[in-house]
Amino acid sequence: MIKKRVLCSSIVLSVMILSKLYSTPNSTSEEDPIRKALLEQVEKQKKAIALSPEKQKEAYYRSVMFANEQVPLHNPSVEKKFERYLANFSFRKQQSYDLHKKAAAHLPQIAAILKSYGIPEDFKYVPLVESDMNPRITSHKGAGGYWQFMPATARLYGLKVNGSVDERKDLIKSTHAAARYLKSLYKEFNDWTLVAAAYNVGGGSLKNTIRRQGTKDYYNLHLNRETGSYVYKLVSMKQVIENPNKHGYKRYGQTYDSYQHTNERNLL
């Protein structure tokens, strides 16, 4: 922060010097070496500020979106929770490329199906968070398959679940069912962030919470631990998949991550 203030002061000083030196009509030659050197110094200092860690973080956090809505990382409590879950999905914590292998193998299919229903693409990360793309996982409550459907909900949205067949384990069929379910939740809540929360906790339960607490803002709702962390997990998963280099996944990192490609150049 001190370094940043020094750079800003230096820029102001350079501009003042330029103004003094070239306040008369005879002092505006572009070939003047003093003026040229001062202008170059101002540009270097502006770039140094733009690429400082503080500015990089600020630009990155402005780029963090879920379902086409900006995550309010200017809120300190939201920022703290986001950073905690983001760290959990980093390569330093995972020490594995499994997430990216599974994403490369399955997410394009999932994204295409969701798109056909008008579901935001970010919901493709739900199976990675819910089941780690392992269809054999069953929760202690009985939720199973890629999307961790409860049997009754799975049947309601068109899947066969009985003693001999469990279509929750079929990626294509279960994704179509999930898209239908997400679409029905959106009709209830008209907010995709709340849809994600409702997918985790159930629509009825979330409606009761909203009614009791008098707010529809997910980030201000007091929810159970699992639901209160759910959107943060989805957002964090999105970040490590889309920006692998930034989060330590060097093998999958490109020259530019998606964030860096769109934002770092705009800082200058």
Side-chain angles (χ1 to χ4, degrees), residues 52-230:
S52 67
E54 293 88 353
K55 283 291 184 180
Q56 285 281 15
K57 179 179 177 180
E58 181 183 326
Y60 177 42
Y61 279 17
R62 284 200 306 268
S63 78
V64 177
M65 310 281 285
F66 178 72
N68 304 315
E69 294 182 0
Q70 189 171 18
V71 178
L73 293 174
H74 58 276
N75 182 323
S77 64
V78 175
E79 178 185 2
K80 185 177 180 181
K81 288 184 73 173
F82 169 69
E83 289 178 347
R84 181 165 74 248
Y85 289 104
L86 188 61
N88 286 340
F89 287 121
S90 70
F91 183 77
R92 180 179 295 181
K93 183 74 172 180
Q94 297 287 326
Q95 293 294 305
S96 166
Y97 286 90
D98 285 351
L99 288 175
H100 288 77
K101 291 176 183 176
K102 292 170 183 175
H106 300 299
L107 293 194
Q109 283 180 299
I110 294 172
I113 293 170
L114 294 178
K115 184 179 180 180
S116 72
Y117 287 85
I119 309 297
E121 186 174 335
D122 289 349
F123 281 88
K124 69 185 180 183
Y125 297 107
V126 169
L128 269 175
V129 169
E130 285 281 352
S131 66
D132 194 33
M133 286 293 180
N134 182 352
R136 294 181 296 279
I137 287 179
T138 303
S139 75
H140 67 281
K141 293 182 179 180
Y146 288 99
W147 290 81
Q148 289 292 287
F149 273 119
M150 292 295 289
T153 307
R155 295 187 190 102
L156 182 63
Y157 288 94
L159 296 179
K160 293 181 182 178
V161 181
N162 54 47
S164 58
V165 178
D166 189 347
E167 291 184 338
R168 295 177 299 174
K169 298 178 181 179
D170 183 305
L171 179 63
I172 303 304
K173 289 181 179 179
S174 66
T175 299
H176 278 284
R180 289 190 288 269
Y181 182 33
L182 291 168
K183 198 165 185 177
S184 71
L185 288 173
Y186 187 74
K187 288 180 181 178
E188 286 187 64
F189 294 98
N190 198 36
D191 180 286
W192 288 113
T193 304
L194 291 178
V195 166
Y199 187 89
N200 177 257
V201 75
S205 178
L206 185 61
K207 276 186 174 179
N208 289 336
T209 300
I210 289 171
R211 185 169 57 251
R212 287 197 310 270
Q213 297 183 20
T215 179
K216 293 183 177 180
D217 185 345
Y218 170 82
Y219 300 100
N220 287 324
L221 284 169
H222 298 286
L223 300 161
N224 67 64
R225 184 174 180 180
E226 183 180 345
T227 308
S229 67
Y230 194 68

Side-chain angles (χ1 to χ4, degrees), residues 43-52 56 263-268:
E43 288 304 310
K44 286 181 181 179
Q45 290 165 345
K46 284 168 67 178
K47 288 182 179 181
I49 290 173
L51 293 173
S52 67
Q56 285 281 15
N263 289 280
E264 287 183 358
R265 65 187 179 190
N266 293 332
L267 288 172
L268 304 180

Side-chain angles (χ1 to χ4, degrees), residues 17-67:
I17 292 171
L18 280 168
S19 178
K20 282 285 187 181
L21 286 175
Y22 302 101
S23 58
T24 63
N26 294 329
S27 302
T28 57
S29 171
E30 292 184 3
E31 300 302 320
D32 189 319
I34 297 176
R35 181 174 184 272
K36 185 177 180 181
L38 282 169
L39 285 171
E40 288 177 354
Q41 184 63 27
V42 168
E43 288 304 310
K44 286 181 181 179
Q45 290 165 345
K46 284 168 67 178
K47 288 182 179 181
I49 290 173
L51 293 173
S52 67
E54 293 88 353
K55 283 291 184 180
Q56 285 281 15
K57 179 179 177 180
E58 181 183 326
Y60 177 42
Y61 279 17
R62 284 200 306 268
S63 78
V64 177
M65 310 281 285
F66 178 72

